Amino acid sequence: MKQVVILMGAPGSGKGSQAKLFMGEKGFFHISTGDLLRAEVEKKTDFGQEIKSYIDNGALVPDSVILNIVESKIVANDKMLFDGFPRNIRQAEALEKIFEKNNIKDVFIVRLDVDDDIILERVVNRFQCAKCGAIYNSKSRPTKVKGVCDICGSEDFKFRQDDRLEVVKSRLDVYYKETAPVLDFYEKGGKHKVFGFDSTKDPSDLFVEIFEKLKI
Ligand code: AP5
Ligand code: MG
């Protein structure tokens, strides 16, 4: 039976960091619409350039683009973890239709809670391994050996264009306007269980707590 976990939370709440643990330790297939869009941008096509202009301004990419990307991934995988999707009510409604069409009933919503001031501090200090994608933070989660990825040993790191302070503030505004109502949609809709977590805890401890609560 197909199983879906949806990680919800503001930019910088720790969705990507938890997703890496879900993949590595529990074999979930990670569907991050942000990562998929950034991969498209790196191809430097006209389509990629169009996507880049939305991301760099902290705006949402049009729903039609996102839904095309997501549906192809859903059909192919059994244990899926969504990170950064759905991001508005239209996407959430479209996802319900995809669930119905594919007879997916085992759906868990994980809400990661962090205050905005912590988020701003986290995101502007984030960096990532350019080779394996491991996520670090120069203040709260540096590499064990300076300049060397803990996971794959690469010395190549990257920063996100949309992690500049003014863009992060816009992303937070978009989150409260467009994405927070999706949590209401799930909480009031009663179709899927919503589990809330304090995402200021150590990421590994938090991961264990999430699994104990979800019982999956
Ligand atoms: P996306 O890539 O989804 O970004 P986001 O939602 O803004 O979230 P982030 O990736 O910034 O943060 P995160 O929650 O993954 O946190 P992380 O684990 O890295 O989207 C980017 C853009 O793409 C959007 O703005 C939009 O333009 C477009 N887009 C994407 N999906 C879309 C959709 N469905 N529809 C339309 N447009 C879409 O952690 C952050 C930092 O905190 C790291 O440095 C990490 O080390 C640290 N950290 C994490 N957890 C902890 C912890 N527990 N304690 C201390 N530090 C921690
Ligand atoms: Mg992320």
Side-chain angles (χ1 to χ4, degrees):
M1 203 196 316
K2 285 187 192 289
Q3 211 168 46
V4 172
V5 174
I6 302 178
L7 286 181
M8 302 276 311
S13 57
K15 301 182 296 295
S17 302
Q18 287 303 315
K20 298 271 179 251
L21 296 167
F22 268 80
M23 282 194 302
E25 307 210 1
K26 299 283 178 183
F28 272 74
F29 184 81
H30 180 201
I31 302 172
S32 159
T33 43
D35 288 350
L36 292 165
L37 293 168
R38 281 184 288 277
E40 203 55 54
V41 171
E42 275 175 25
K43 290 185 199 159
K44 299 207 164 34
T45 56
D46 288 348
F47 179 50
Q49 279 304 114
E50 193 191 326
I51 290 173
K52 186 176 183 325
S53 64
Y54 290 100
I55 294 180
D56 287 356
N57 287 308
L60 294 186
V61 172
D63 295 335
S64 53
V65 172
I66 302 293
L67 291 168
N68 275 338
I69 293 178
V70 167
E71 193 152 10
S72 63
K73 303 279 174 195
I74 281 217
V75 181
N77 292 285
D78 275 346
K79 278 165 72 171
M80 287 162 288
L81 178 80
F82 284 110
D83 155 7
F85 175 86
R87 230 171 169 103
N88 58 29
I89 294 288
R90 291 177 302 281
Q91 293 181 11
E93 287 172 347
L95 184 60
E96 287 307 309
K97 292 205 177 108
I98 295 176
F99 287 157
E100 275 168 33
K101 202 165 110 190
N102 293 281
N103 197 25
I104 298 174
K105 298 196 174 89
D106 238 0
V107 179
F108 304 85
I109 317 293
V110 170
R111 192 191 69 231
L112 301 178
D113 300 325
V114 187
D115 288 345
D116 289 2
D117 51 341
I118 299 177
I119 281 180
L120 293 175
E121 167 92 5
R122 272 188 186 182
V123 178
V124 296
N125 291 305
R126 170 169 51 192
F127 63 100
Q128 201 169 1
C129 173
K131 194 171 168 211
C132 74
I135 300 167
Y136 298 100
N137 192 288
S138 53
K139 293 240 166 102
S140 65
R141 197 187 171 326
T143 53
K144 287 181 187 132
V145 178
K146 198 169 187 305
V148 181
C149 176
D150 297 352
I151 311 291
C152 73
S154 167
E155 296 180 9
D156 194 10
F157 293 93
K158 60 185 179 184
F159 298 87
R160 276 170 47 176
Q161 275 297 320
D162 60 345
D163 280 352
R164 286 166 292 139
L165 186 62
E166 64 279 14
V167 183
V168 184
K169 286 183 177 164
S170 305
R171 286 161 57 198
L172 271 174
D173 287 345
V174 171
Y175 174 78
Y176 287 114
K177 196 161 153 260
E178 300 263 344
T179 312
V182 176
L183 276 165
D184 280 349
F185 172 90
Y186 287 130
E187 272 157 10
K188 292 182 184 145
K191 253 188 172 173
H192 313 302
K193 280 193 186 155
V194 181
F195 300 83
F197 297 90
D198 171 2
S199 192
T200 61
K201 293 182 180 170
D202 173 79
S204 306
D205 295 345
L206 178 60
F207 176 69
V208 171
E209 191 184 325
I210 292 174
F211 262 86
E212 281 174 5
K213 272 258 175 71
L214 264 52
K215 298 192 178 71
I216 54 175

